[in-house]
Every structure is written in C-alpha cells, then in structure tokens.
Amino acid sequence: MVMEDIYHRPLLDLRISVTDRCNMRCRYCMPREHFDDNHEFLPKDDILRFEEIVRVVEALIPHGLRKVRLTGGEPLLRRDLDELVRQLRACSEDLDIAITTNGLLLNKHLSNLHEAGLSRVTISLDALDESIYKSMGDTVASPTVVLDAIDAAQNIGLPIKINAVIKKDVNDNQILDLINCFGPRNIPVRFIEYMDVGSTNDWNLDHVVSAKSMRRTIEQHFGTLQANQPHHASDVAKVYSTTSGWKIGFIESITNPFCGDCSRARLSANGSIYTCLFTDKGHDIRGILRMDASDEEIAEAIRSIWLQRNDRYSEKRSNQSKKAKVEMSYIGG
Ligand code: SAM
Ligand code: SF4
Ligand code: SF4
C-alpha cells in the first residue's frame, strides 16, 4: 500500500546520502571555513552499511518507492559504490537508480557502476571557465576532468544530465556556454536557483538569479523556449526545449516552489529519515535496522514518520529562512 503524508503526497523517491564527506568545497554548499580540518565528519561506525541501505529500499518498494538517488557529500568517495548499486539492482529490475556526483572520480568508476545496473547519472558542473569553476568549488581540480567523465559516460550509453547552480555575478555568465557545450550533444542542462540550504553558506536573496531571468537571457540567444509536459507531477525541474530541440531544465525552488507534489524522502548517511531538504529534524531508523527489524517493521517505522509529514518549506520560505536547517552535504542534495 502506498504511503501518503497529510497532504496526500506519496513517498516515491528516496535520496540516499552514502557519505557526508566531499572532495570539493563548493562555496554554496560546504564553505571551507566551516568544513575545515576541525570539522567532525560522521564516524565510520555510524554510517549505514550497504546491507542496511538495501533493507530500507527493499522495505519501501512494495509501498510505491520507484526511484533512488545516491548522493552525499560526494557519493563516489564511498568505497565500492558499485557494490551498493548491484545490491539495489537485485532488489528490483524496475527501480530507477540514479547518482548525483561532482564527476571528479566518475571516469574511474564509470564502467563498474554501469555494469552494476546504474540507470542514470547527474553531473554537477557550474562553469566551463577554469577559474570560475575553481573558485566556486574551492578546488584545484579542473573542469576538464569532469568533461572527460561526461564524454566517457556518453560513450558508454548512460543517460546524463548536468546540474549547474547559478549564483549572481559569480557564474551567471556561464549559462550560455553550458548550453552551447551540451545542447548539441543532447545532454540536458538543469539550472538550479541558488538555495538557502543549511546554515553555513551565508545565503542571501540578492545572490539568486531567478529561473525567469535565466530564461529571458537564454531566449535572447536561442529564441523562444517551448515548455515541455512534465513526465511526473513530482519532477523537480521544469523542462523547456530550444528551437533546435535542446533540453534545458530549471529547478526554481526559490521563485516557483514545488512542494505540492514533493514525494521525496532523504536517508542520511547515518541512517535518519528527513522528510524535507530544509528541516533540522531527522528520524533515526538505524536503531531498528541494527536490531534486526523485519521488512514490515522497517516499513511501518517509515510510514509513521511519513504519515505526519506536513513540510512545505519552499512555499513558506519568507517567514522561515532564519530557522536552523541541516546541511545539504549531510542529508544529500
Ligand atoms: N557532491 C555531489 C554533487 O555535487 O553533485 C552530490 C551532492 S550535492 C549536495 C547535490 C546537488 O546539490 C548538486 O548538484 C549541487 O550543485 C546542489 N547544491 C548544493 N548546494 C546547493 C545550494 N545551496 N543551492 C542549490 N543547489 C545546491
Ligand atoms: Fe561537494 Fe557536491 Fe556540496 Fe560541491 S555541491 S561541496 S561537490 S557535496
Ligand atoms: Fe519538498 Fe521540502 Fe523542497 Fe518543499 S521544500 S519541495 S517539501 S524538500
């Protein structure tokens, strides 16, 4: 039986953070002054083992779960991630298994992940310009590493999407270059409005470029954008096509929130369920997983959390933006 929250939103999609660590320090996500050498990442014993993650997914599939997304932190820092993909694939042939990665380690793991049954990959790339990329990600890595991984993923036949967070006066000049780079290769680019996740990125509305204004800029260069019909009501991106058929998505959490159809739960690396990206309260399920609970008991525990869910943060943002929120690198983007 499908699980529904108090607004009748089903639980269809589980984002699984497999680590809270990352090999980048994007200014908008893990600013180095907060995530420095003194930062205490989760201890190894607290982190869910693959078998425990699989138990959660197995328990939820009969209740409507159709998609999982492996994320973090940087999911490819988790050793043998392909083994998790293999175990998840064994749960169901039909499960959509996606990963969101910064792409720096993707080339190395690509064929193993593909063979294990990964369905798709979303690669975050905020800029093609080397110096903008380096300063946004606070990294010495070059975007060419990510571009090589994108080539390899395309050659192997894995469906790809590109995510770019757009920050005003930082990388808004990259929008057209990203479209020109990926449009002709039929790789959809999704522009994300800079969000007020967590409490460390010093978010301010003045740093946000609205999707509407991005579309205005894009239309000046590529002509009128045609809105596509969503595949599912719960799709996070609003997708448009250029006159040449290139797909461009917008994740407009700030200016056009989509809480009404939000069917996403998050499982943190240490085994807590979060019912909204912008909450500070997780519900521990690692305890029952480590007490050898049955599938029914795991599903029942999650159902009781989901039944009480009334999150609509993005729709009520203006009067809540000062509240404490968990970091995105911890619960998974
Ligand atoms: N490390 C992986 C990556 O960067 O793809 C996965 C985790 S990351 C938290 C997931 C997504 O969240 C990335 O596409 C990232 O750009 C996005 N993200 C992180 N902080 C954000 C913010 N403040 N506003 C909007 N998107 C953000
Ligand atoms: Fe790491 Fe991804 Fe956050 Fe950047 S957005 S700091 S790559 S977790
Ligand atoms: Fe879903 Fe929370 Fe985002 Fe609204 S703010 S779309 S409820 S995660």
Side-chain angles (χ1 to χ4, degrees):
M1 201 176 58
V2 170
M3 298 182 186
E4 287 190 349
D5 70 8
I6 66 168
Y7 296 122
H8 303 293
R9 296 172 296 187
L11 197 176
L12 304 175
D13 179 345
L14 185 66
R15 307 226 165 160
I16 302 170
S17 173
V18 293
T19 177
D20 59 336
R21 292 167 192 262
C22 190
N23 50 356
M24 291 180 76
R25 286 291 180 274
C26 302
R27 302 288 315 151
Y28 53 74
C29 179
M30 294 179 77
R32 199 174 291 276
E33 53 277 23
H34 293 275
F35 294 88
D36 58 10
D37 291 344
N38 297 322
H39 182 77
E40 288 186 22
F41 290 100
L42 292 169
K44 193 160 179 270
D45 287 347
D46 286 5
I47 293 189
L48 289 190
R49 297 187 288 270
F50 288 165
E51 293 70 17
E52 293 168 331
I53 294 173
V54 171
R55 297 283 327 273
V56 175
V57 172
E58 262 174 346
L60 289 177
I61 288 175
H63 300 278
L65 185 74
R66 59 170 195 224
K67 178 173 177 183
V68 295
R69 177 171 294 280
L70 306 179
T71 177
E74 173 47 42
L76 292 175
L77 288 181
R78 182 83 186 251
R79 193 193 290 203
D80 300 328
L81 194 70
D82 56 303
E83 181 50 35
L84 175 60
V85 172
R86 191 166 290 109
Q87 292 182 23
L88 290 170
R89 177 54 69 221
C91 295
S92 159
E93 267 303 304
D94 300 329
L95 187 68
D96 189 358
I97 307 175
I99 183 173
T100 302
T101 171
N102 61 32
L104 291 177
L105 298 171
L106 184 59
N107 223 340
K108 187 171 157 201
H109 297 290
L110 193 59
S111 61
N112 286 347
L113 289 165
H114 186 236
E115 278 164 29
L118 188 71
S119 312
R120 58 191 70 252
V121 57
T122 298
I123 300 169
S124 303
L125 180 63
D126 299 327
L128 294 173
D129 177 278
E130 178 122 6
S131 69
I132 298 175
Y133 177 84
K134 286 181 167 170
S135 88
M136 260 186 108
D138 197 356
T139 176
V140 293
S142 160
T144 55
V145 176
V146 186
L147 290 167
D148 288 347
I150 294 168
D151 285 346
Q154 200 169 31
N155 288 338
I156 225 172
L158 206 55
I160 309 167
K161 287 179 188 149
I162 306 296
N163 270 0
V165 176
I166 299 300
K167 218 173 151 185
K168 190 180 269 175
D169 299 333
V170 176
N171 68 334
D172 41 357
N173 63 357
Q174 295 295 292
I175 293 175
L176 301 176
D177 289 351
L178 285 163
I179 297 172
N180 271 322
C181 175
F182 295 112
R185 299 170 58 182
N186 288 321
I187 301 177
V189 186
R190 297 151 16 124
F191 296 108
I192 308 177
E193 290 179 348
Y194 173 39
M195 294 188 285
D196 51 335
V197 280
S199 314
T200 58
N201 64 7
D202 208 15
W203 182 89
N204 183 315
L205 193 54
D206 294 341
H207 298 147
V208 176
V209 182
S210 71
K212 200 170 168 188
S213 105
M214 294 188 223
R215 282 194 288 273
R216 246 194 327 264
T217 310
I218 294 168
E219 288 192 319
Q220 280 165 8
H221 289 78
F222 295 100
T224 308
L225 290 172
Q226 192 73 44
N228 293 194
Q229 281 298 324
H231 292 299
H232 300 288
S234 59
D235 289 351
V236 289
K238 307 239 171 345
V239 180
Y240 290 76
S241 299
T242 65
T243 45
S244 5
W246 302 348
K247 302 279 186 213
I248 305 173
F250 300 90
I251 301 178
E252 353 186 304
S253 164
I254 304 294
T255 61
N256 190 10
F258 37 81
C259 301
D261 293 308
C262 178
S263 53
R264 287 174 292 285
R266 289 178 162 80
L267 178 62
S268 67
N270 59 348
S272 287
I273 292 280
Y274 288 80
T275 56
C276 177
L277 179 55
F278 296 94
T279 184
D280 63 340
K281 188 168 167 285
H283 306 261
D284 178 70
I285 57 158
R286 189 185 59 202
I288 64 159
L289 286 169
R290 294 193 176 171
M291 286 189 307
D292 272 343
S294 66
D295 279 5
E296 290 72 34
E297 285 165 333
I298 298 168
E300 204 38 54
I302 297 175
R303 179 194 302 284
S304 68
I305 297 164
W306 194 257
L307 277 178
Q308 293 170 41
R309 176 187 192 238
N310 64 356
D311 306 288
R312 303 186 83 92
Y313 176 85
S314 288
E315 291 180 355
K316 300 192 276 186
R317 171 171 276 111
S318 53
N319 46 21
Q320 297 183 86
S321 55
K322 292 281 179 271
K323 81 173 201 162
K325 288 165 280 165
V326 67
E327 296 300 321
M328 196 169 186
S329 53
Y330 173 70
I331 57 167

